[in-house]
Amino acid sequence: MTHISGHAVSPTVADRMARDPIVIRADASLTEAAAVMDRNHVHGLPVVDHTGALVGMLSHTDLNRARSTEYLWVNWPGLSVRHLMTSPAITVHRSTPLLVAARKMEQLGIHRLVVVENGDDTTPVGVLSMTDLIHALADETGGLQPHSAEGATGR
């Protein structure tokens, strides 16, 4: 928690989110989506329609699930991101306190949230991932190291 003029200020999603998210079109192929994730070292992509409006989220888990059941899909021509994405995307506003976003992720069992502006729920402006939360926790605690084995009693 940071202090401004003696008042505690809770960190918000905007303080920790990855800005300018890499998105994928709903009509993109699964191969293209996997390549975009791999090339950009991300584990999830907000999915947008032809107008750029948010329509879902595609994650590594979704692609892995598709791969593990490939025998069901192999003969389905035109299989695309829209067929496997989670829809609607789970969103959070950029002004949301980080703790509220973390609770939402934990309660829903998800690893990332698409960040949208307070007045516009259709345009992704960022992504908040579990990794972002871990970095925030490490920064907040000063990167404290666990007790060393030297101080352990061995019990």
Side-chain angles (χ1 to χ4, degrees):
M1 204 169 284
T2 53
H3 293 351
I4 298 177
S5 303
H7 299 302
V9 178
S10 296
T12 65
V13 167
D15 297 328
R16 290 296 178 166
M17 70 181 190
R19 290 167 169 66
D20 302 319
I22 299 159
V23 299
I24 191 87
R25 294 264 308 257
D27 59 357
S29 71
L30 298 180
T31 302
E32 181 182 348
V36 168
M37 285 183 192
D38 186 53
R39 184 172 53 250
N40 293 286
H41 308 287
V42 296
H43 296 173
L45 298 168
V47 181
V48 296
D49 66 13
H50 67 282
T51 69
L54 182 65
V55 295
M57 174 63 112
L58 184 74
S59 70
H60 268 180
T61 302
D62 298 323
L63 290 176
N64 187 48
R65 190 175 302 120
R67 185 66 172 174
S68 67
T69 59
E70 187 173 16
Y71 65 94
L72 298 172
W73 310 100
V74 72
N75 292 320
W76 188 359
L79 184 63
S80 64
V81 167
R82 76 173 164 269
H83 297 111
L84 294 177
M85 69 183 183
T86 298
S87 181
I90 308 299
T91 62
V92 66
H93 292 115
R94 60 185 290 128
S95 63
T96 301
L98 204 54
L99 183 58
V100 171
R103 283 186 184 134
K104 185 174 190 174
M105 291 167 71
E106 199 280 323
Q107 288 171 344
L108 297 174
I110 58 176
H111 296 114
R112 68 199 51 78
L113 295 165
V114 181
V115 183
V116 294
E117 291 289 355
N118 291 354
D120 176 9
D121 289 344
T122 64
T123 306
V125 296
V127 172
L128 182 72
S129 71
M130 193 65 71
T131 302
D132 299 324
L133 295 176
I134 298 299
H135 289 304
L137 179 61
D139 288 349
E140 184 178 306
T141 60
L144 298 176
Q145 299 296 316
H147 295 293
S148 70
E150 294 174 7
T153 61
R155 289 187 217 179

